[in-house]
Amino acid sequence: MADGRDEEQVSGTLTIDRLGRLGDGMGQVGGETVHVPFTLPGEVVEAGGKGSRRRLEGVLEPSSDRIDPVCHHFGTCGGCQIQHMAHPSYLAWKRGLIVEALAREGLDIEPEPVVSFVAEGNFGLRRRAVFTCLRAGGKVLFGFSQRQANRIVNVEECPVLVPAIVEKIAELRQIASLFLPRKGSLKVAVLACENGLDIAIEGPAANDKSVQQAISTAIEMDAARLSHNGETLIETRRPVLMAGLAQVTPPPGGFVQAVRQAEQKMAELATAHLAGCTKAADLFAGHGGFALRLAQTMPVHAVESDSAALAALDRAWRETGGRLMPVTHERRDLYRAPITMKELEQFDGVVFDPPRAGAEAQSHELAKSGVRRIVAISCNPGTLARDLLILVDGGYRITSVTPIDQFVFSHHLEAVALLERDASYR
């Protein structure tokens, strides 16, 4: 007969001494490090469970940084990890994420303070969200994944989203339900454009009646576009995002920087650093958020693997009517076929903004090149630090690293690193 003590769930008191990279408090139990969510450094808490991950059962001695969460879904919804911490200390913790990542690679650079766009308690800045919709019994659930569980939190509010999305949650749930199969789920990507919501459904096909009902609801809520699996069902007007002088219509469900102000700040840092360059390359260019802004002062070559994103970039550039410098583009998988040292000879400025995996192969080519100035942008401090080390070993000098809190209340952190070729190298 098995010893039941192996399955025993125990409770105990411990002191939290620091926050981990994912926002959980960390403390010591029997000489081993354990993680307790929703706790803060200096707190004495009661935690239950076993192993390295424990559940919070009570805060016995709260930190002076502890505040009330701004959302009643906090603690169950997995979208936010750290609404319970005073904002100045929260920003210090976030800055520590990039400090730690750089230090692990031995990079001696002190990051700038975190750029935050939160003002007077206004957190509703995120213009893009991906909801999950599924059936649970006779109820349609529409929301985000529950923390550490394969379940959906049925959201009624979300303080980090722009009001234009929050105000239409009921209508979005209704549209999603019309495509929802009896079993399984679907995704709904919603983007608040300059001129209305762009709604992209990904999931099984619906019958004609349901599609017509969805179109009617989209019209009634004054959505700009409704698409299903990349096919436009109704477009009352072209959804547009501004990229400098250009108006971009992103492909349905395509990648977009989550916060408009964050994209603008990143673009400002990039354009200022590359000022004076004669020609730039925008690698992992997407639909041209950086390329189209850089083209106000220099020719740009945009490289991206997504053909729909490149088509959106090209259309936006052409519609500026000659107000921008030439923007050429190339479809290319930069993970398998990075721009080579030889190909980089035509550029004296480069900006790259890869997915979370980073740009290791491309960084090796850049490190061998003579490109004068580089802007490295990333949403992953770890892979950014790795890529920066490659460039530094190749003779580049980091002039600044600016962390940007694009994903408020989460452990995700955007950062912009500026580099220049060390003239004394070689």
Side-chain angles (χ1 to χ4, degrees):
M1 186 173 182
D3 187 347
R5 289 178 296 178
D6 291 341
E7 303 300 323
E8 182 183 0
Q9 299 295 298
V10 297
S11 295
T13 300
L14 72 150
T15 300
I16 303 299
D17 50 52
R18 65 191 187 279
L19 286 185
R21 297 177 197 169
L22 302 183
D24 288 347
M26 300 172 67
Q28 297 291 312
V29 175
E32 296 184 0
T33 300
V34 298
H35 299 250
V36 186
F38 317 124
T39 59
L40 299 174
E43 291 188 330
V44 177
V45 303
E46 187 79 13
K50 59 183 300 184
S52 62
R53 304 198 65 85
R54 305 294 175 96
R55 65 180 180 275
L56 177 64
E57 295 186 340
V59 178
L60 305 179
E61 297 180 19
S63 165
S64 59
D65 282 328
R66 178 168 287 276
I67 60 174
D68 293 332
V70 299
C71 178
H72 78 266
H73 294 302
F74 180 68
T76 54
C77 177
C80 295
Q81 293 85 48
I82 194 158
Q83 286 189 13
H84 55 295
M85 190 178 197
H87 202 63
S89 296
Y90 158 80
L91 292 178
W93 167 70
K94 276 224 156 167
R95 184 176 179 275
L97 298 178
I98 191 70
V99 169
E100 180 184 355
L102 295 170
R104 283 199 305 271
E105 299 293 348
L107 294 170
D108 185 18
I109 179 72
E110 191 71 14
E112 300 294 321
V114 177
V115 177
S116 173
F117 309 100
V118 171
E120 298 179 356
N122 176 26
F123 307 102
L125 300 172
R126 199 177 302 184
R127 62 181 174 178
R128 185 176 188 273
V130 180
F131 297 92
T132 299
C133 187
L134 55 79
R135 298 187 192 279
K139 187 177 182 180
V140 173
L141 301 182
F142 182 85
F144 304 116
S145 296
Q146 185 173 327
R147 180 182 171 87
Q148 297 179 351
N150 188 25
R151 300 174 183 172
I152 298 300
V153 176
N154 193 45
V155 300
E156 303 292 343
E157 65 175 68
C158 183
V160 302
L161 297 180
V162 294
I165 295 178
V166 178
E167 292 166 359
K168 299 296 183 180
I169 285 179
E171 290 89 342
L172 293 168
R173 180 183 286 108
Q174 180 180 351
I175 289 174
S177 68
L178 293 166
F179 291 87
L180 192 60
R182 290 186 176 181
K183 293 184 178 181
S185 63
L186 54 79
K187 299 291 185 181
V188 183
V190 185
L191 174 64
C193 296
E194 305 291 341
N195 57 344
L197 296 186
D198 183 16
I199 308 166
I201 309 288
E202 288 187 17
N207 59 50
D208 291 344
K209 182 179 179 180
S210 293
V211 170
Q212 288 304 314
Q213 288 177 331
I215 290 173
S216 297
T217 302
I219 293 173
E220 290 172 6
M221 65 185 289
D222 197 30
R225 180 172 64 184
L226 172 65
S227 62
H228 177 249
N229 293 341
E231 178 185 353
T232 298
L233 301 179
I234 182 68
E235 185 176 278
T236 61
R237 54 197 176 277
R238 275 179 54 193
V240 296
L241 300 173
M242 297 304 300
L245 300 176
Q247 293 186 341
V248 183
T249 297
F255 171 79
V256 171
Q257 296 290 351
V259 173
R260 176 181 58 81
Q261 295 89 334
E263 180 181 83
Q264 181 62 34
K265 180 62 179 180
M266 289 186 278
E268 288 174 359
L269 290 167
T271 53
H273 187 61
L274 299 187
C277 291
T278 59
K279 187 176 183 181
D282 181 5
L283 309 181
F284 306 94
H287 62 246
F290 300 123
L292 292 166
R293 290 177 168 94
L294 289 169
Q296 292 181 218
T297 58
M298 70 190 76
V300 181
H301 183 60
V303 185
E304 167 61 44
S305 62
D306 186 337
S307 59
L310 285 177
L313 184 160
D314 186 61
R315 179 179 183 178
W317 173 71
R318 292 179 185 280
E319 289 181 345
T320 60
R323 290 182 294 163
L324 298 180
M325 300 285 279
V327 177
T328 55
H329 59 83
E330 174 185 356
R331 185 184 179 190
R332 184 163 174 171
D333 184 343
L334 292 170
Y335 288 106
R336 296 184 176 183
I339 304 297
T340 65
M341 175 185 67
K342 182 70 174 177
E343 292 172 296
L344 289 166
E345 289 179 356
Q346 61 185 301
F347 308 109
D348 54 358
V350 167
V351 56
F352 65 88
D353 182 16
R356 289 186 59 80
E360 185 174 10
Q362 187 60 69
S363 294
H364 280 293
E365 293 299 322
L366 283 165
K368 296 181 290 185
S369 78
V371 172
R372 187 160 60 94
R373 294 186 175 182
I374 295 175
V375 180
I377 302 173
S378 176
C379 61
N380 185 337
T383 56
L384 174 63
R386 178 202 65 198
D387 295 343
L388 291 179
L389 179 61
I390 294 170
L391 295 170
V392 168
D393 286 346
Y396 282 92
R397 180 173 65 90
I398 304 171
T399 61
S400 70
V401 176
T402 303
I404 298 174
D405 190 21
Q406 177 162 218
F407 303 97
V408 66
F409 299 141
S410 81
H411 63 271
H412 297 292
L413 181 67
E414 205 83 30
V416 179
L418 308 180
L419 305 96
E420 56 186 32
R421 169 61 77 186
D422 188 339
S424 65
Y425 183 73
R426 297 180 187 177

